[in-house]
Amino acid sequence: MDTHFHFLFALIFLALATPIAFANDPSPLQDTCVAVNDSKYGVFVNGKFCKNPKLATADDFFFAGLDIYGNTSNRLGLAVNPVTVDQLPGLNTLGLSMSRLDFAPYGLNPPHIHPRGTEIITVLEGTLYVGFVTSNPDNRLITKVLNKGDVFVFPIGLIHFKYNKWKTNAVAIAFLNSQSAGVITIANAVFGSKPSISDDVLAKAFQLDKKVVDYLQAQSWGDN
Ligand code: MN
């Protein structure tokens, strides 16, 4: 028997011997991954291909620039400088990424979700009012005011926000337990989808007049 068979027998033995079943699907690393039968039509396998390890260099594991203040001259007063597998190829398959967040006075990281990652942040400068909402049916809001050096965690998949409701700038560093945690900004996804979701759907779902829905859909939502 080759080692594969030994491994298989060990797995079967464990499955039979353990009273508790541990079953996990692998966490997806992209929004969609439609199965195809012909590899000719394949693009990525679970995120990115791997470079031959012999060809890897120090720069593959290196990123510079998180000391730089982000440009917060935008509607939200927010700058996000992400370091995901797209910026740091050495993160591939490691289940980790980070980002720097700059807030102008009254800057907002609006309600959003990371579909593939839990986020932990620490404040380097200023003060942030942060919070997340638990899932149905409780929808409990959990909030905290964070000062320099404070740490807060936003559990995977829950709507959360960070608001600098003070007159000074704020800077935070975030870590996520995915090489590509993804972001769904609630307002952008709901009111800024391309093409638009029917205003009948949104009026009913959000208990809004259709005129309000049309107004919201006409706004510029950007891509953050
Ligand atoms: Mn977040």
Side-chain angles (χ1 to χ4, degrees):
M1 283 195 297
D2 67 12
T3 47
H4 284 94
F5 274 105
H6 282 292
F7 182 64
L8 191 63
F9 275 113
L11 272 182
I12 291 167
F13 175 77
L14 274 175
L16 293 174
T18 316
I20 305 161
F22 295 99
N24 259 89
D25 281 336
S27 182
L29 285 168
Q30 58 286 304
D31 283 353
T32 67
C33 182
V34 178
V36 288
N37 290 325
D38 189 336
S39 63
K40 181 169 70 175
Y41 301 110
V43 181
F44 296 122
V45 178
N46 216 13
K48 308 275 184 187
F49 291 116
C50 301
K51 191 177 192 176
N52 181 340
K54 291 194 175 81
L55 302 177
T57 67
D59 281 344
D60 291 330
F61 307 96
F62 175 77
F63 176 92
L66 281 198
D67 59 320
I68 297 165
Y69 280 81
N71 180 2
T72 58
S73 306
N74 53 59
R75 175 174 70 85
L76 293 168
L78 171 75
V80 180
N81 192 358
V83 188
T84 71
V85 69
D86 292 329
Q87 291 79 27
L88 183 50
L91 281 173
N92 199 23
T93 76
L94 296 184
L96 190 67
S97 60
M98 65 185 295
S99 56
R100 171 184 171 129
L101 297 105
D102 285 87
F103 296 80
Y106 311 111
L108 174 67
N109 186 197
H112 65 280
I113 291 167
H114 302 290
R116 297 179 290 275
T118 288
E119 172 178 351
I120 186 166
I121 67 163
T122 188
V123 174
L124 301 185
E125 289 178 27
T127 303
L128 290 174
Y129 166 70
V130 305
F132 66 85
V133 179
T134 66
S135 60
N136 300 353
D138 293 347
N139 297 138
R140 182 177 165 211
L141 173 65
I142 293 175
T143 66
K144 190 78 181 168
V145 172
L146 304 181
N147 293 300
K148 186 175 173 177
D150 291 348
V151 174
F152 199 79
V153 64
F154 306 100
I156 184 170
L158 300 185
I159 292 180
H160 60 284
F161 61 84
K162 310 177 189 87
Y163 182 39
N164 176 17
K165 59 177 184 178
W166 291 273
K167 287 182 204 165
T168 52
N169 292 326
V171 180
I173 296 286
F175 297 90
L176 293 113
N177 64 342
S178 167
Q179 70 184 44
S180 182
V183 183
I184 299 167
T185 305
I186 307 304
N188 300 25
V190 171
F191 295 107
S193 71
K194 293 175 273 298
S196 296
I197 300 174
S198 153
D199 56 3
D200 290 321
V201 170
L202 296 184
K204 198 169 178 95
F206 286 83
Q207 304 189 55
L208 291 172
D209 190 286
K210 269 209 270 186
K211 286 198 184 95
V212 178
V213 172
D214 295 342
Y215 169 82
L216 288 169
Q217 288 183 318
Q219 303 309 304
S220 168
W221 292 103
D223 55 8
N224 63 18

